[in-house]
Amino acid sequence: MSKRKNQADQEDPDGDSEDTPTFIDVDFDFFDLNPTIDYHAIKRLLDQLFGVDAGSLSTHALTDLILSQPDIGTTIKTDGEESDPYAFLSILNIGVHNDNVSIKLLVEYILAKSKADNAFHESLSTILRLVLCERLINMPVPVIPPMYRMLIDEIKDAVEENEPFNFTHLIFISRVYKLTPEEEEAMAIVQHQSGKGSKRQKSQNPNGAMNERSVDGVYPFHPEDEEIQKFASHHLIFPYSNAQPRDAESFGLDYGWTLAGVLGNVFQPPEGA
């Protein structure tokens, strides 16, 4: 049984008309994490999240750890519970799992990257929870808020059962991409020609959503990251450690990581809720 259902319109890439795209209805079902079925899909999503650094972060062990707590977190599927998830959301207690090889490697990685912000670096010594959320490209953004609302309920239930999900700090890991001025100009021309331009300068992210033009050319990969940053006490952006040098002939986008440190339990439901 799924947790709930969400319906969204998806553009049909095989539509006949260039000016009038056709849409198909897609049902997105929300499920608990399933250790029997979800391993390979979750690992692929983690590899996508961590990019070229995934090989040094033991994503196979991290996948096992995520699936070891199936009552916390959600997957999204379209073909029933036996199918692969297209997205997932989970939260991990770093203190409880600090002996896990994947957590050790990830903490070392985050500590090394956070040295650029001393206050952020020092705050990482407090009790932390790691929020991991990733999805396939072109997944509609409206399916994400329900996942976080369900996570709030699951954390509330876990706390009532004295499970270790009462916390003071959260770390959100996500992806960013960087555009050169030339790439931004080329993208702006394409958007204008497709009728997506506006008086305000915007950039379309790889998911199709529109971002305000960035001063430094760095943009969040997922639109919800901008909302999370509003609550963040610290925020860092950094390149992948194993990224290859780029030049004028490099193909594709220049990706990196973003870390958002949130002070306080933003998942705590309001009193009376």
Side-chain angles (χ1 to χ4, degrees):
M1 291 289 292
S2 66
K3 292 181 175 181
R4 58 179 292 181
K5 189 181 293 289
N6 189 296
Q7 189 175 70
D9 290 333
Q10 293 277 68
E11 187 172 335
D12 184 359
D14 298 323
D16 295 331
S17 172
E18 293 182 0
D19 297 327
T20 308
T22 57
F23 292 85
I24 56 175
D25 289 332
V26 178
D27 287 331
F28 293 97
D29 291 314
F30 299 80
F31 292 93
D32 289 326
L33 292 154
N34 189 322
T36 305
I37 299 168
D38 297 342
Y39 174 86
H40 294 290
I42 297 297
K43 185 179 183 301
R44 284 194 297 269
L45 289 171
L46 287 173
D47 288 341
Q48 174 180 288
L49 173 63
F50 297 135
V52 293
D53 289 349
S56 60
L57 294 175
S58 191
T59 54
H60 62 283
L62 186 58
T63 302
D64 285 333
L65 183 57
I66 291 170
L67 293 173
S68 71
Q69 46 177 43
D71 294 333
I72 299 291
T74 297
T75 62
I76 297 179
K77 303 181 179 184
T78 61
D79 296 314
E81 188 172 6
E82 301 296 317
S83 62
D84 284 342
Y86 287 3
F88 84 94
L89 169 66
S90 188
I91 184 170
L92 296 171
N93 185 327
I94 292 178
V96 169
H97 301 296
N98 58 7
D99 289 334
N100 184 282
V101 62
S102 64
I103 294 299
K104 286 182 177 179
L105 291 172
L106 196 52
V107 168
E108 290 175 0
Y109 187 96
I110 292 172
L111 287 174
K113 295 294 186 180
S114 64
K115 287 181 179 179
D117 184 331
N118 188 58
F120 192 7
H121 184 78
E122 291 182 355
S123 73
L124 295 175
S125 63
T126 60
I127 299 175
L128 295 174
R129 302 298 181 271
L130 178 65
V131 180
L132 295 170
C133 184
E134 186 60 304
R135 59 186 182 270
L136 295 182
I137 294 174
N138 293 332
M139 282 285 288
V141 177
V143 302
I144 301 303
M147 297 177 76
Y148 278 98
R149 286 194 289 268
M150 284 183 275
L151 185 61
I152 290 174
D153 293 336
E154 290 162 353
I155 290 174
K156 182 179 179 181
D157 291 341
V159 171
E160 289 177 352
E161 295 177 7
N162 294 318
E163 295 184 26
F165 286 93
N166 227 347
F167 43 83
T168 59
H169 291 71
L170 291 166
I171 293 291
F172 291 82
I173 294 179
S174 192
R175 292 182 291 158
V176 296
Y177 64 97
K178 186 174 184 179
L179 299 177
T180 65
E182 293 77 17
E183 288 171 332
E184 288 191 327
E185 183 62 27
M187 187 171 288
I189 292 173
V190 171
Q191 290 170 11
H192 178 75
Q193 292 175 344
S194 64
K196 295 180 180 179
S198 69
K199 293 183 179 179
R200 302 180 68 185
Q201 286 189 318
K202 295 185 177 182
S203 170
Q204 186 177 29
N205 71 21
N207 288 314
M210 303 300 291
N211 294 322
E212 295 296 332
R213 185 62 58 86
S214 168
V215 175
D216 56 5
V218 176
Y219 300 93
F221 198 90
H222 299 313
E224 66 270 18
D225 293 342
E226 292 185 308
E227 297 303 313
I228 292 170
Q229 289 174 22
K230 294 177 182 179
F231 295 91
S233 53
H234 303 282
H235 178 233
L236 281 178
I237 294 173
F238 50 87
Y240 290 117
S241 296
N242 298 312
Q244 296 297 313
R246 292 175 59 85
D247 54 35
E249 303 300 320
S250 296
F251 178 78
L253 294 174
D254 184 11
Y255 291 107
W257 275 33
T258 176
L259 282 179
V262 178
L263 175 63
N265 185 354
V266 294
F267 290 149
Q268 183 65 44
E271 290 187 11

